[in-house]
Amino acid sequence: MNGLARRLLAEGVGTALLVCVVVGSGIAAEQLSPDDVGLQLLENSLATVFGLATLILLLGPVSGAHFNPAVSLADWFLGRRDGSGLSLPEVGAYAAAQCVGGIAGAIVANLMFGVETTLSATDRASGPHFLAEVVATAGLVALIFSLVRTGRAAVAAPAVGAYIGAAYWFTSSTSFANPAVTIGRVFSDTFAGIAPGSVPAFVAAQALGAVVGVVLVLALYPTTSGEPDREPSLIDEPLPGR
């Protein structure tokens, strides 16, 4: 298997497993805590935090563990000058693998819990949800590429997992922040689902959020030298006794 095929396999499998974690834990949460939506969200978000961090560690060395077309597109844009990112055709291939994986993951989660695979009826299209997805995606893209551009990619797994876990709670949309995951979640009419009619608004918000995230990265970390241009701060001072 050539290099691109391996990377596409990693992206497809990774996105499938991510959606499987999100949808499967959502179904389990509904069954375990049927009368407490807050507890359902807590169970769903904790599973996603640990699942996403683990998948990044598992597949990051193969494909970069994007699992997200917005991240892949940002990788292409930010890497154009130094040739470090994906090519545009690779972005398209990544996005296709991610979307197929997302749908497959939702179907597998439904099968594991004996839930019929039907289109979701959960309408999430509203102004607050749109804004929430812009914020969630902008933060995710800014986090990932600030780590990459400052030589801290090794901590991406816990950092990204923690951010998404937090964003479940501080955004009204529960932070999809991912077009492929959004499409996948259409295929489960459960706690984690999203109605097909809500998808265009969510994807548009995620695209806008990705643009905002890229602008933030370029403003805060204009080079990839590993150190941003900034004034000295307390974090630069030696600890007492050292």
Side-chain angles (χ1 to χ4, degrees):
M1 185 177 291
N2 65 35
L4 179 59
R6 286 177 59 246
R7 287 187 283 145
L8 295 180
L9 177 61
E11 286 297 303
V13 170
T15 311
L17 288 173
L18 175 57
V19 173
C20 203
V21 167
V22 173
V23 172
S25 63
I27 297 171
E30 277 188 313
Q31 295 178 354
L32 293 169
S33 310
D35 301 317
D36 192 333
V37 177
L39 186 55
Q40 290 175 11
L41 185 60
L42 178 62
E43 293 160 346
N44 191 206
S45 62
L46 282 176
T48 303
V49 168
F50 294 122
L52 178 55
T54 301
L55 289 171
I56 292 171
L57 291 172
L58 173 65
L59 297 169
V62 180
S63 66
H66 295 183
F67 314 146
N68 187 335
V71 172
S72 297
L73 192 59
D75 182 71
W76 162 73
F77 186 85
L78 289 169
R80 288 179 308 156
R81 281 185 294 182
D82 58 12
S84 62
L86 297 176
S87 67
L88 206 52
E90 287 175 327
V91 171
Y94 264 51
Q98 291 155 355
C99 289
V100 170
I103 295 169
I107 293 171
V108 170
N110 292 335
L111 289 172
M112 288 195 297
F113 285 91
V115 174
E116 183 181 359
T117 296
T118 57
L119 298 183
S120 175
T122 304
D123 183 14
R124 299 178 186 263
S126 71
H129 285 139
F130 184 92
L131 176 59
E133 282 300 292
V134 173
V135 171
T137 311
L140 177 63
V141 168
L143 171 63
I144 290 170
F145 291 99
S146 68
L147 294 175
V148 170
R149 292 171 80 86
T150 56
R152 297 174 293 159
V155 300
V160 172
Y163 174 79
I164 291 297
Y168 259 79
W169 291 90
F170 75 73
T171 65
S172 59
S173 64
T174 67
S175 183
F176 286 47
N178 185 329
V181 168
T182 303
I183 291 169
R185 289 169 69 166
V186 166
F187 293 87
S188 188
D189 191 17
T190 61
F191 178 79
I194 179 173
S198 299
V199 170
F202 264 55
V203 172
Q206 290 155 1
L208 178 57
V211 171
V212 173
V214 166
V215 170
L216 281 172
V217 170
L218 291 174
L220 294 170
Y221 301 100
T223 68
T224 57
S225 62
E227 284 293 335
D229 296 325
R230 59 176 173 82
E231 294 298 320
S233 69
L234 288 176
I235 62 173
D236 300 310
E237 297 298 325
L239 295 175
R242 293 180 60 186

